[in-house]
Amino acid sequence: MTRRPASVTVRVPAKVNVQLAVGGPRPDGFHDLANVFLAVGLYDEVTVAPAEELRITVAGPDAGQVPADASNLAARAAVALAARHGLEPRVHIHIVKDIPVAGGMAGGSADAAGALVACDALWGTGASREELLAICAELGSDVPFSLVGGAALGRGRGELLEPLETGGTFHWVFAVADGGLSTPEVYRECDRLRGDTAVPEPEASPALIEALRTGDAVALAASLANDLQPAALSLRPSLAATLAAGTEAGALAALVSGSGPTTAFLAKDAESAQAVAGALAASGTCRAVRVTTGPAQGATLL
Ligand code: C5P
């Protein structure tokens, strides 16, 4: 019999949407997207170990904002994998959170992808990549990308992934806002602001994909676009001052990350990223500032 490990730890990255093109609402309530994801080097770590029953604990400065019960997406990931393999999800899931909570950086999705990969290794279920991706897609629109990392174009509601080539390292600064924003509310606000205006089919920008491929930060900056940004700004008008502070400090471009309220700043190089971070921290327009790079690896066993 194969020996099972006593515990397994998986590291999972945050993401920024370098393009988020949002179509009109679908009959199922979701929106068709052209969603260009880039994984960045802020990580949660998910550790799983055998336990009497499913238990979840969370550590980190914002742990109090994360549900430590069966509603947590990481717990649902363990339950989904166990159910498919006729197992009981008797596991303790411990999450060390470093990705901003409810911040538009797919922190919850990262934890789900991490728990899935970790439980698969702990239980020796030997799920194929295809099966893992199918479970991810059931759990949430952004979860498959948290598994694969790097850069990818997400179609459908974001779960149908096509990997994208990247040609270098992009330097990012993230400004973490006070409190989170609810993703469904941001989508609803987007629909409300659009009213009866005709919404085109969401399409990925060829210029943006080429900028990722060649590692050209200036070209990428010119193509960054987030259709949810007006909605996030409408719900959280103070984000405009954060965006302005980063742009004035020399960021090549600034945008809201996903559904927000984290804001993302693309910098020319590492030095410029530090300058933008310093200016944002001094501006008093955000709660915390993080400097990192992308692309980053997807869910990785440690
Ligand atoms: O898939 P996920 O659970 O992350 O989605 C959260 C919510 O965000 C959905 O319930 C929906 O309101 C909104 N959403 C959407 N269209 C998408 C993805 C998410 O409307 N493509």
Side-chain angles (χ1 to χ4, degrees), residues 22 25-26 29-33 35 73 76 109 137-143 156-159 182-185 187-188 191:
V22 179
R26 311 193 309 201
F30 285 89
H31 296 70
D32 273 322
L33 306 177
N35 191 351
L73 212 50
R76 288 167 47 199
S109 301
E138 284 168 16
L139 292 166
S141 309
D142 290 350
V143 184
R157 60 186 169 87
E159 86 286 19
S182 147
T183 304
E185 269 177 44
Y187 274 98
R188 269 198 298 277
D191 292 337

Side-chain angles (χ1 to χ4, degrees), residues 102-121:
M105 297 192 76
S109 301
D111 299 344
L116 195 60
V117 171
C119 287
D120 180 54

Side-chain angles (χ1 to χ4, degrees), residues 29-65:
F30 285 89
H31 296 70
D32 273 322
L33 306 177
N35 191 351
V36 183
F37 296 100
L38 179 70
V40 296
L42 305 181
Y43 301 96
D44 283 356
E45 281 185 14
V46 182
T47 299
V48 298
E52 287 295 307
E53 56 183 10
L54 180 62
R55 195 158 81 83
I56 184 153
T57 51
V58 188
D62 298 329
Q65 298 168 45

Side-chain angles (χ1 to χ4, degrees), residues 11-269:
R11 194 179 79 158
V12 262
K15 60 84 181 162
V16 60
N17 307 86
V18 286
Q19 185 190 0
L20 184 44
V22 179
R26 311 193 309 201
D28 66 0
F30 285 89
H31 296 70
D32 273 322
L33 306 177
N35 191 351
V36 183
F37 296 100
L38 179 70
V40 296
L42 305 181
Y43 301 96
D44 283 356
E45 281 185 14
V46 182
T47 299
V48 298
E52 287 295 307
E53 56 183 10
L54 180 62
R55 195 158 81 83
I56 184 153
T57 51
V58 188
D62 298 329
Q65 298 168 45
V66 181
D69 58 31
S71 71
N72 188 298
L73 212 50
R76 288 167 47 199
V79 168
L81 181 69
R84 280 181 174 238
H85 292 268
L87 301 170
E88 289 296 325
R90 293 200 185 98
V91 65
H92 173 202
I93 304 173
H94 181 63
I95 301 171
V96 178
K97 273 226 82 73
D98 193 41
I99 303 175
V101 177
M105 297 192 76
S109 301
D111 299 344
L116 195 60
V117 171
C119 287
D120 180 54
L122 183 74
W123 297 334
T125 35
S128 65
R129 188 83 167 164
E130 210 175 20
E131 182 184 351
L132 291 176
L133 283 170
I135 300 174
C136 286
E138 284 168 16
L139 292 166
S141 309
D142 290 350
V143 184
F145 179 72
S146 298
L147 184 81
V148 304
L153 168 60
R155 292 223 160 253
R157 60 186 169 87
E159 86 286 19
L160 306 170
L161 293 179
E162 180 189 318
L164 294 174
E165 213 183 314
T166 50
T169 300
F170 296 100
H171 296 268
W172 290 92
V173 181
F174 293 95
V176 183
D178 266 324
L181 274 176
S182 147
T183 304
E185 269 177 44
V186 176
Y187 274 98
R188 269 198 298 277
E189 181 67 0
C190 174
D191 292 337
R192 191 189 70 80
L193 290 174
R194 284 170 163 177
D196 294 332
T197 327
V199 180
E201 280 295 304
E203 294 293 348
S205 150
L208 177 120
I209 287 173
E210 181 63 7
L212 282 175
R213 196 184 67 75
T214 56
D216 184 338
V218 173
L220 182 62
S223 302
L224 293 175
N226 179 0
D227 284 355
L228 291 181
Q229 181 159 317
L233 283 169
S234 165
L235 295 172
R236 193 71 71 82
S238 61
L239 295 180
T242 321
L243 292 170
T247 311
E248 280 160 25
L252 295 172
L255 86 170
V256 170
S257 178
S259 55
T262 306
T263 42
F265 304 85
L266 181 58
K268 180 164 57 78
D269 51 29

Side-chain angles (χ1 to χ4, degrees), residues 252-295:
L252 295 172
L255 86 170
V256 170
S257 178
S259 55
T262 306
T263 42
F265 304 85
L266 181 58
K268 180 164 57 78
D269 51 29
E271 196 183 335
S272 169
Q274 288 300 337
V276 170
L280 279 166
S283 74
T285 64
C286 54
R287 178 163 66 85
V289 180
R290 307 294 304 274
V291 178
T292 187
T293 60

